[in-house]
Short mmCIF file of all heavy atoms in Angstrom, two decimals:
data_model
loop_
_atom_site.label_atom_id
_atom_site.label_comp_id
_atom_site.label_asym_id
_atom_site.label_seq_id
_atom_site.Cartn_x
_atom_site.Cartn_y
_atom_site.Cartn_z
N LEU A 265 153.65 82.93 -79.96
CA LEU A 265 152.33 82.72 -79.37
C LEU A 265 152.23 81.28 -78.85
O LEU A 265 152.61 80.34 -79.54
CB LEU A 265 151.23 82.95 -80.41
CG LEU A 265 151.17 84.31 -81.11
CD1 LEU A 265 150.03 84.32 -82.13
CD2 LEU A 265 150.99 85.44 -80.10
N VAL A 266 151.72 81.13 -77.63
CA VAL A 266 151.53 79.77 -77.08
C VAL A 266 150.31 79.15 -77.74
O VAL A 266 149.23 79.75 -77.80
CB VAL A 266 151.35 79.82 -75.55
CG1 VAL A 266 150.99 78.44 -75.00
CG2 VAL A 266 152.62 80.34 -74.89
N ASN A 267 150.48 77.92 -78.25
CA ASN A 267 149.37 77.17 -78.83
C ASN A 267 148.69 76.36 -77.73
O ASN A 267 147.54 76.58 -77.39
CB ASN A 267 149.88 76.28 -79.96
CG ASN A 267 148.79 75.43 -80.59
OD1 ASN A 267 147.62 75.78 -80.51
ND2 ASN A 267 149.15 74.32 -81.19
N GLU A 268 149.42 75.41 -77.15
CA GLU A 268 148.89 74.65 -76.01
C GLU A 268 150.03 74.02 -75.25
O GLU A 268 151.19 74.05 -75.69
CB GLU A 268 147.88 73.60 -76.48
CG GLU A 268 148.39 72.61 -77.50
CD GLU A 268 147.26 71.75 -78.05
OE1 GLU A 268 146.22 72.30 -78.46
OE2 GLU A 268 147.43 70.52 -78.07
N VAL A 269 149.71 73.45 -74.09
CA VAL A 269 150.73 72.84 -73.25
C VAL A 269 150.33 71.41 -72.88
O VAL A 269 149.15 71.05 -72.93
CB VAL A 269 150.98 73.64 -71.96
CG1 VAL A 269 151.47 75.04 -72.28
CG2 VAL A 269 149.75 73.69 -71.07
N ALA A 270 151.33 70.63 -72.49
CA ALA A 270 151.10 69.28 -71.96
C ALA A 270 151.95 69.13 -70.70
O ALA A 270 153.17 69.36 -70.75
CB ALA A 270 151.48 68.22 -73.00
N PRO A 271 151.34 68.74 -69.56
CA PRO A 271 152.08 68.68 -68.29
C PRO A 271 152.68 67.30 -68.03
O PRO A 271 152.41 66.65 -67.02
CB PRO A 271 150.99 69.01 -67.27
CG PRO A 271 149.75 68.39 -67.88
CD PRO A 271 149.90 68.47 -69.37
N ARG A 272 153.52 66.84 -68.94
CA ARG A 272 154.03 65.46 -68.91
C ARG A 272 155.10 65.32 -69.98
O ARG A 272 155.29 66.23 -70.80
CB ARG A 272 152.88 64.49 -69.22
CG ARG A 272 152.15 64.87 -70.50
CD ARG A 272 151.22 63.82 -71.04
NE ARG A 272 150.40 64.31 -72.14
CZ ARG A 272 150.80 64.48 -73.39
NH1 ARG A 272 152.05 64.22 -73.72
NH2 ARG A 272 149.97 64.94 -74.32
N PRO A 273 155.79 64.18 -70.03
CA PRO A 273 156.67 63.93 -71.18
C PRO A 273 155.87 64.05 -72.48
O PRO A 273 154.66 63.79 -72.50
CB PRO A 273 157.14 62.49 -70.95
CG PRO A 273 157.05 62.30 -69.47
CD PRO A 273 155.85 63.08 -69.04
N HIS A 274 156.54 64.44 -73.55
CA HIS A 274 155.83 64.87 -74.74
C HIS A 274 156.56 64.41 -76.00
O HIS A 274 157.78 64.23 -76.00
CB HIS A 274 155.74 66.41 -74.71
CG HIS A 274 154.86 67.02 -75.74
ND1 HIS A 274 155.36 67.68 -76.84
CD2 HIS A 274 153.51 67.09 -75.83
CE1 HIS A 274 154.36 68.14 -77.57
NE2 HIS A 274 153.22 67.80 -76.98
N ASN A 275 155.78 64.25 -77.06
CA ASN A 275 156.31 63.83 -78.35
C ASN A 275 157.50 64.70 -78.79
O ASN A 275 158.45 64.21 -79.40
CB ASN A 275 155.17 63.92 -79.38
CG ASN A 275 155.46 63.14 -80.65
OD1 ASN A 275 155.73 63.73 -81.69
ND2 ASN A 275 155.42 61.83 -80.58
N SER A 276 157.47 65.97 -78.44
CA SER A 276 158.54 66.88 -78.86
C SER A 276 159.84 66.64 -78.11
O SER A 276 160.87 67.24 -78.45
CB SER A 276 158.10 68.34 -78.69
OG SER A 276 157.90 68.64 -77.32
N GLY A 277 159.82 65.76 -77.10
CA GLY A 277 161.04 65.48 -76.34
C GLY A 277 161.59 64.08 -76.54
O GLY A 277 162.58 63.69 -75.89
N HIS A 278 160.98 63.30 -77.45
CA HIS A 278 161.45 61.92 -77.64
C HIS A 278 162.89 61.84 -78.13
O HIS A 278 163.62 60.89 -77.82
CB HIS A 278 160.55 61.17 -78.63
CG HIS A 278 159.19 60.83 -78.09
ND1 HIS A 278 158.86 60.96 -76.77
CD2 HIS A 278 158.07 60.36 -78.72
CE1 HIS A 278 157.59 60.58 -76.60
NE2 HIS A 278 157.10 60.23 -77.75
N TYR A 279 163.31 62.84 -78.91
CA TYR A 279 164.68 62.87 -79.44
C TYR A 279 165.71 62.76 -78.31
O TYR A 279 166.84 62.30 -78.50
CB TYR A 279 164.92 64.17 -80.23
CG TYR A 279 165.11 65.35 -79.31
CD1 TYR A 279 166.39 65.72 -78.88
CD2 TYR A 279 164.02 66.05 -78.80
CE1 TYR A 279 166.56 66.76 -77.97
CE2 TYR A 279 164.19 67.09 -77.90
CZ TYR A 279 165.46 67.43 -77.48
OH TYR A 279 165.63 68.43 -76.57
N SER A 280 165.31 63.21 -77.09
CA SER A 280 166.25 63.35 -75.97
C SER A 280 166.79 62.01 -75.48
O SER A 280 167.84 61.96 -74.84
CB SER A 280 165.59 64.10 -74.81
OG SER A 280 164.49 63.37 -74.28
N ILE A 281 166.09 60.91 -75.78
CA ILE A 281 166.58 59.59 -75.33
C ILE A 281 167.96 59.33 -75.91
O ILE A 281 168.86 58.85 -75.22
CB ILE A 281 165.59 58.46 -75.71
CG1 ILE A 281 164.25 58.67 -75.03
CG2 ILE A 281 166.17 57.09 -75.34
CD1 ILE A 281 163.16 57.69 -75.46
N GLU A 282 168.15 59.66 -77.19
CA GLU A 282 169.45 59.45 -77.83
C GLU A 282 170.33 60.70 -77.84
O GLU A 282 171.56 60.58 -77.91
CB GLU A 282 169.27 58.99 -79.28
CG GLU A 282 169.01 57.51 -79.47
CD GLU A 282 167.60 57.10 -79.10
OE1 GLU A 282 166.67 57.92 -79.30
OE2 GLU A 282 167.41 55.97 -78.63
N ALA A 283 169.73 61.89 -77.82
CA ALA A 283 170.49 63.09 -78.15
C ALA A 283 170.81 64.01 -76.97
O ALA A 283 171.52 64.99 -77.15
CB ALA A 283 169.75 63.90 -79.23
N SER A 284 170.29 63.73 -75.75
CA SER A 284 170.48 64.64 -74.62
C SER A 284 171.28 63.99 -73.50
O SER A 284 171.32 62.76 -73.38
CB SER A 284 169.12 65.08 -74.05
OG SER A 284 168.33 65.69 -75.02
N TYR A 285 171.88 64.83 -72.66
CA TYR A 285 172.56 64.31 -71.48
C TYR A 285 171.57 63.63 -70.54
O TYR A 285 171.85 62.58 -69.97
CB TYR A 285 173.27 65.44 -70.73
CG TYR A 285 174.56 65.89 -71.37
CD1 TYR A 285 174.59 67.01 -72.20
CD2 TYR A 285 175.75 65.19 -71.16
CE1 TYR A 285 175.78 67.42 -72.80
CE2 TYR A 285 176.94 65.59 -71.75
CZ TYR A 285 176.95 66.71 -72.57
OH TYR A 285 178.12 67.11 -73.16
N THR A 286 170.40 64.24 -70.37
CA THR A 286 169.35 63.66 -69.52
C THR A 286 168.07 63.62 -70.35
O THR A 286 167.58 64.66 -70.79
CB THR A 286 169.08 64.54 -68.28
OG1 THR A 286 170.32 64.83 -67.64
CG2 THR A 286 168.14 63.84 -67.31
N ASP A 287 167.53 62.43 -70.60
CA ASP A 287 166.33 62.38 -71.44
C ASP A 287 165.11 62.86 -70.64
O ASP A 287 165.13 62.92 -69.40
CB ASP A 287 166.11 60.98 -72.02
CG ASP A 287 165.69 59.95 -70.99
OD1 ASP A 287 164.56 60.06 -70.47
OD2 ASP A 287 166.46 59.02 -70.71
N GLN A 288 164.05 63.22 -71.37
CA GLN A 288 162.88 63.84 -70.72
C GLN A 288 162.20 62.93 -69.70
O GLN A 288 161.62 63.41 -68.72
CB GLN A 288 161.87 64.30 -71.77
CG GLN A 288 161.21 63.18 -72.56
CD GLN A 288 159.95 63.65 -73.29
OE1 GLN A 288 159.38 64.69 -72.97
NE2 GLN A 288 159.51 62.87 -74.28
#
Side-chain angles (χ1 to χ4, degrees):
L265 302 179
V266 173
N267 178 23
E268 57 189 49
V269 299
R272 52 167 171 77
H274 189 253
N275 197 253
S276 64
H278 288 349
Y279 76 91
S280 64
I281 298 174
E282 277 76 32
S284 303
Y285 283 98
T286 310
D287 71 68
Q288 66 164 342

